[in-house]
Structures are given as C-alpha cells and as structure tokens.
Amino acid sequence: MAAEAPGDARLYSVRGVAEAKKGDVEHALTSFRHALVLAPTELQALQWMIEYSAAQNDQATVVDRVDALFRRWPDRIPVYADRLPEIFRGADQRRLLVQRLKMAPPWRVSFISSLSKSPDGALFAADLLWDLAQGQGEQNAGEINQVLGALLTAGRYDEAYQTFLVTLDDERQKLAGNVYNGSFLDAPSGSPFDWMVKRQPGLATSMAKPGDGASTPGLSIDFLQAPVRDPGIRQFLNLASGRYRLSVKASAQGAVLPKGLFWSIACFKPGTVLGTLPVEQGTYPITAISAELVVPPDHCGLQVLRLGTRAMTGSWNDRYSGRVRFDDVRIVSAP
C-alpha cells in the first residue's frame, strides 16, 4: 500500500504545509503522519516531522525519521549534518543517535564525512566516535582518520589526539606512547598520530606487517643509488611543554648519505625546529643515539617527528645507497 501511493502522500504533505502555515499544527500533524503512512519516505513530511519532533525534545522519533530520510534522500545528509549536533547536544540524547550508528546504517560514512567539514561538526563527530568506542561499537578507521584530520585542520590538537587514543582497540592501545608504535610492531594504520610512510623516489621502505612470520619489527630503508630529498616518514605528536630526550636505535649496511639523514622534531605551526638527531653513514650494528629538546609552552600544541635529509635539489651528484634500519624510536621526559 505505502509503496503504491507516493502521489497521494505528496498531496497530504502539501495539505500539511498549508495547514502549518496557517498555524493549524494539529491538523498539519495529522496530514504529515498520514503522508508517512502512505509513503514512509515522503520528503516534506519527513523533514517537517523531524523539526517538530526536535522541538518536542522527542529525539527517539527524530532518529527514526532521520534514518528513513538519509536512506531514501542521501542528498539531505549535508543539511542535517549541521542540524543534528544541535538536536542531540546532550550526552543522553546523543546516545540515541549512537545506538543507531552502531547498527551501521548505509548513511553512516557519509554522515561522519559531512560532519567533518566544519570545526563544530568535527567536534560532534569526535563525541560520537568516543561514545561508539566506549560502547564497543564497530570502529571504522576511515571515519576516525577523517575526523582526526578535520580536528587538526581546525587547530583542535588536544581533542584530535584524545580521540585517536580513545578509538584504539585493545591491541593498539599497547602501542601508545609519546611516539606511537615506536618499535614498529604493527603496520601503519593511516592515522596522522601513527607512522605515515609515503612512497618516495630513490628508496624502498619496509615495516613490520601483522601476521607475517617472516617480518621482524623495525623500519628498513634501502637507498637505490639516487638522490633523496624526503624519505617520506613522519608522525604527528602531542607532547606537553617540557624537556624530552629523543632516542633511536639504528644500524646501517654500506650506507652512503651525501646530504645526511636525520630525525627531527618541529612545532607543526609555525614550524620551529625543536631538535635534530643525525644518523651516521657507513656500516655498524644496532647503536643507540639520542638528543635532547624542549617543547615550549606556547604555539606548539602539535609537533611533527620526521626523517629528513638536507638535500635541496635532486642532484644526481648526491646519490644515496645502502641500507639504514631503525629498531626503536622513542621520546621520554628528561630531567
């Protein structure tokens, strides 16, 4: 019956709009409800009932109506991505929305994506991810990383880092520290607070892979007789102000590094370098190297740990070759 009467449903919606404009809310409600009986996804009726239910603080009905709306009319998701944070501003109200998200509706990914397009929406999305994590809801790495990226863009560094920690599963919680996965025990997750390894010309990078019995934890870089400007390895940090020691365990086999190779930590903005740790060339067994640095109290809420060179151009006179391996990278508080 419902699927066969979309035209009649639209007529009842038109009647409902006219009655609402005249202030006849009771009859408007009757018309809209009847429209939804005839066609549960009638657009005007759904949108009017969402707003009415929100005004009545009936968030349970809002969730049902939004679910129907987003399934049939996904183009409405960006509109309500701005509206729903206001409707579900309280923890108790938000729980109703989280329960629906746990059911993995088809609109969930698009909804989180739309929320992430504004700073306030990203904060609300972070709240949803926190609630999903605490309720053992299914985690989606793509959703999490999108929200983290939006929070970082908005300058909400602390919220981004806390969201990263809260959404780690039990196994990945074990890898948390000032440097995440500093012993390279797992493959990168794609998070900005995990190792970001970008393929770059002139080198080949390998890292441990979960479940691969042939892999030994560590980060290995084979240089391919070519110039190297950027090894493409970095990780965002969220260090509190204070003094720290950057420690690295490194080894090398026939490493030729004409423009140097070093680890550095810098403030993300304005880019002030806080400390560098050179990596020696040649051949040597695992060797511990370290350097101290100070994170200032202001304008350095987010830091970048990266592997770099001093090459400014891709000159073939400066060819990198050999292998360098890192078994551990960590940052600890220093006295």
Short mmCIF file of all heavy atoms in Angstrom, two decimals, residues 90-114:
data_model
loop_
_atom_site.label_atom_id
_atom_site.label_comp_id
_atom_site.label_asym_id
_atom_site.label_seq_id
_atom_site.Cartn_x
_atom_site.Cartn_y
_atom_site.Cartn_z
N GLY A 90 23.06 16.96 24.09
CA GLY A 90 23.32 16.33 25.38
C GLY A 90 23.77 14.89 25.24
O GLY A 90 23.46 14.22 24.25
N ALA A 91 24.49 14.40 26.25
CA ALA A 91 25.01 13.02 26.20
C ALA A 91 23.88 12.01 26.12
O ALA A 91 23.97 11.02 25.38
CB ALA A 91 25.89 12.75 27.42
N ASP A 92 22.80 12.22 26.88
CA ASP A 92 21.68 11.27 26.87
C ASP A 92 21.00 11.24 25.51
O ASP A 92 20.64 10.17 24.99
CB ASP A 92 20.66 11.62 27.95
CG ASP A 92 21.20 11.36 29.35
OD1 ASP A 92 22.15 10.55 29.47
OD2 ASP A 92 20.68 11.95 30.31
N GLN A 93 20.81 12.43 24.92
CA GLN A 93 20.18 12.49 23.61
C GLN A 93 21.10 11.87 22.54
O GLN A 93 20.64 11.16 21.65
CB GLN A 93 19.86 13.95 23.24
CG GLN A 93 18.78 14.58 24.09
CD GLN A 93 19.36 15.24 25.34
OE1 GLN A 93 20.54 15.09 25.64
NE2 GLN A 93 18.51 15.95 26.07
N ARG A 94 22.39 12.18 22.66
CA ARG A 94 23.34 11.67 21.67
C ARG A 94 23.40 10.15 21.69
O ARG A 94 23.64 9.51 20.67
CB ARG A 94 24.73 12.26 21.95
CG ARG A 94 25.72 12.04 20.82
CD ARG A 94 27.01 12.79 21.05
NE ARG A 94 27.72 12.33 22.22
CZ ARG A 94 27.97 13.07 23.30
NH1 ARG A 94 27.54 14.33 23.34
NH2 ARG A 94 28.63 12.58 24.33
N ARG A 95 23.16 9.56 22.84
CA ARG A 95 23.21 8.10 22.96
C ARG A 95 22.21 7.44 22.02
O ARG A 95 22.46 6.35 21.49
CB ARG A 95 22.94 7.70 24.41
CG ARG A 95 23.29 6.23 24.72
CD ARG A 95 23.21 5.97 26.21
NE ARG A 95 24.19 6.76 26.94
CZ ARG A 95 23.88 7.71 27.83
NH1 ARG A 95 22.62 7.99 28.10
NH2 ARG A 95 24.84 8.37 28.46
N LEU A 96 21.06 8.07 21.80
CA LEU A 96 20.07 7.51 20.88
C LEU A 96 20.62 7.46 19.46
O LEU A 96 20.41 6.47 18.73
CB LEU A 96 18.80 8.36 20.92
CG LEU A 96 18.02 8.37 22.24
CD1 LEU A 96 16.96 9.47 22.21
CD2 LEU A 96 17.37 7.01 22.47
N LEU A 97 21.32 8.51 19.07
CA LEU A 97 21.91 8.54 17.74
C LEU A 97 23.04 7.52 17.63
O LEU A 97 23.19 6.83 16.61
CB LEU A 97 22.43 9.94 17.44
CG LEU A 97 23.05 10.18 16.06
CD1 LEU A 97 22.08 9.84 14.95
CD2 LEU A 97 23.52 11.64 15.94
N VAL A 98 23.83 7.39 18.68
CA VAL A 98 24.94 6.43 18.68
C VAL A 98 24.41 5.00 18.54
O VAL A 98 24.99 4.18 17.81
CB VAL A 98 25.77 6.57 19.97
CG1 VAL A 98 26.77 5.42 20.12
CG2 VAL A 98 26.52 7.90 19.97
N GLN A 99 23.32 4.70 19.21
CA GLN A 99 22.74 3.36 19.10
C GLN A 99 22.36 3.04 17.67
O GLN A 99 22.52 1.90 17.20
CB GLN A 99 21.51 3.25 20.02
CG GLN A 99 21.87 3.22 21.50
CD GLN A 99 20.64 3.31 22.39
OE1 GLN A 99 19.52 3.54 21.92
NE2 GLN A 99 20.84 3.14 23.69
N ARG A 100 21.87 4.03 16.93
CA ARG A 100 21.53 3.79 15.52
C ARG A 100 22.80 3.64 14.69
O ARG A 100 22.85 2.80 13.78
CB ARG A 100 20.66 4.94 15.00
CG ARG A 100 20.05 4.69 13.62
CD ARG A 100 19.17 3.44 13.61
NE ARG A 100 18.14 3.47 14.61
CZ ARG A 100 16.89 3.89 14.42
NH1 ARG A 100 16.53 4.31 13.22
NH2 ARG A 100 16.01 3.85 15.40
N LEU A 101 23.83 4.42 14.99
CA LEU A 101 25.08 4.31 14.25
C LEU A 101 25.74 2.95 14.47
O LEU A 101 26.41 2.43 13.57
CB LEU A 101 26.05 5.43 14.67
CG LEU A 101 25.65 6.85 14.28
CD1 LEU A 101 26.62 7.85 14.88
CD2 LEU A 101 25.59 7.00 12.77
N LYS A 102 25.55 2.37 15.65
CA LYS A 102 26.11 1.04 15.92
C LYS A 102 25.55 -0.01 14.97
O LYS A 102 26.19 -1.04 14.71
CB LYS A 102 25.81 0.62 17.36
CG LYS A 102 26.66 1.30 18.41
CD LYS A 102 26.29 0.77 19.79
CE LYS A 102 27.08 1.47 20.86
NZ LYS A 102 26.70 0.98 22.22
N MET A 103 24.37 0.24 14.45
CA MET A 103 23.73 -0.70 13.54
C MET A 103 24.29 -0.58 12.11
O MET A 103 23.83 -1.27 11.21
CB MET A 103 22.21 -0.47 13.54
CG MET A 103 21.59 -0.65 14.92
SD MET A 103 19.86 -0.07 15.00
CE MET A 103 19.08 -1.25 13.89
N ALA A 104 25.28 0.31 11.94
CA ALA A 104 25.95 0.51 10.64
C ALA A 104 24.96 0.80 9.52
O ALA A 104 24.94 0.12 8.48
CB ALA A 104 26.82 -0.68 10.28
N PRO A 105 24.12 1.84 9.66
CA PRO A 105 23.21 2.18 8.56
C PRO A 105 24.01 2.63 7.35
O PRO A 105 25.16 3.08 7.47
CB PRO A 105 22.39 3.34 9.15
CG PRO A 105 23.28 3.95 10.18
CD PRO A 105 24.03 2.79 10.79
N PRO A 106 23.46 2.53 6.16
CA PRO A 106 24.22 2.85 4.94
C PRO A 106 24.65 4.30 4.84
O PRO A 106 25.53 4.63 4.04
CB PRO A 106 23.25 2.48 3.81
CG PRO A 106 21.89 2.50 4.44
CD PRO A 106 22.09 2.05 5.85
N TRP A 107 24.06 5.18 5.64
CA TRP A 107 24.39 6.60 5.58
C TRP A 107 25.46 7.02 6.58
O TRP A 107 25.86 8.19 6.61
CB TRP A 107 23.13 7.44 5.81
CG TRP A 107 22.28 7.02 6.98
CD1 TRP A 107 21.21 6.18 6.94
CD2 TRP A 107 22.43 7.39 8.36
NE1 TRP A 107 20.67 6.01 8.20
CE2 TRP A 107 21.40 6.76 9.10
CE3 TRP A 107 23.32 8.22 9.05
CZ2 TRP A 107 21.24 6.92 10.48
CZ3 TRP A 107 23.18 8.38 10.42
CH2 TRP A 107 22.15 7.74 11.12
N ARG A 108 25.94 6.08 7.39
CA ARG A 108 26.85 6.44 8.48
C ARG A 108 28.13 7.11 7.97
O ARG A 108 28.55 8.16 8.48
CB ARG A 108 27.19 5.21 9.31
CG ARG A 108 28.28 5.43 10.35
CD ARG A 108 28.46 4.23 11.25
NE ARG A 108 29.81 4.17 11.79
CZ ARG A 108 30.20 3.38 12.78
NH1 ARG A 108 29.33 2.55 13.33
NH2 ARG A 108 31.44 3.39 13.21
N VAL A 109 28.79 6.52 6.98
CA VAL A 109 30.05 7.06 6.48
C VAL A 109 29.85 8.47 5.92
O VAL A 109 30.63 9.39 6.20
CB VAL A 109 30.66 6.13 5.41
CG1 VAL A 109 31.87 6.79 4.75
CG2 VAL A 109 31.07 4.80 6.04
N SER A 110 28.80 8.66 5.12
CA SER A 110 28.53 9.98 4.54
C SER A 110 28.20 11.00 5.62
O SER A 110 28.57 12.18 5.51
CB SER A 110 27.38 9.88 3.53
OG SER A 110 27.74 9.08 2.43
N PHE A 111 27.51 10.57 6.65
CA PHE A 111 27.15 11.46 7.74
C PHE A 111 28.39 11.95 8.48
O PHE A 111 28.56 13.15 8.71
CB PHE A 111 26.19 10.74 8.69
CG PHE A 111 25.81 11.54 9.90
CD1 PHE A 111 25.23 12.79 9.78
CD2 PHE A 111 26.02 11.02 11.17
CE1 PHE A 111 24.88 13.53 10.91
CE2 PHE A 111 25.68 11.74 12.30
CZ PHE A 111 25.10 13.00 12.17
N ILE A 112 29.28 11.02 8.85
CA ILE A 112 30.51 11.40 9.53
C ILE A 112 31.35 12.31 8.64
O ILE A 112 31.95 13.29 9.09
CB ILE A 112 31.32 10.16 9.94
CG1 ILE A 112 30.54 9.30 10.95
CG2 ILE A 112 32.67 10.55 10.52
CD1 ILE A 112 30.31 9.95 12.29
N SER A 113 31.39 12.00 7.35
CA SER A 113 32.15 12.81 6.40
C SER A 113 31.59 14.23 6.33
O SER A 113 32.34 15.21 6.33
CB SER A 113 32.11 12.16 5.02
OG SER A 113 32.77 12.97 4.07
N SER A 114 30.27 14.36 6.30
CA SER A 114 29.65 15.68 6.24
C SER A 114 29.90 16.46 7.52
O SER A 114 30.16 17.67 7.48
CB SER A 114 28.15 15.55 5.99
OG SER A 114 27.90 15.05 4.69
#
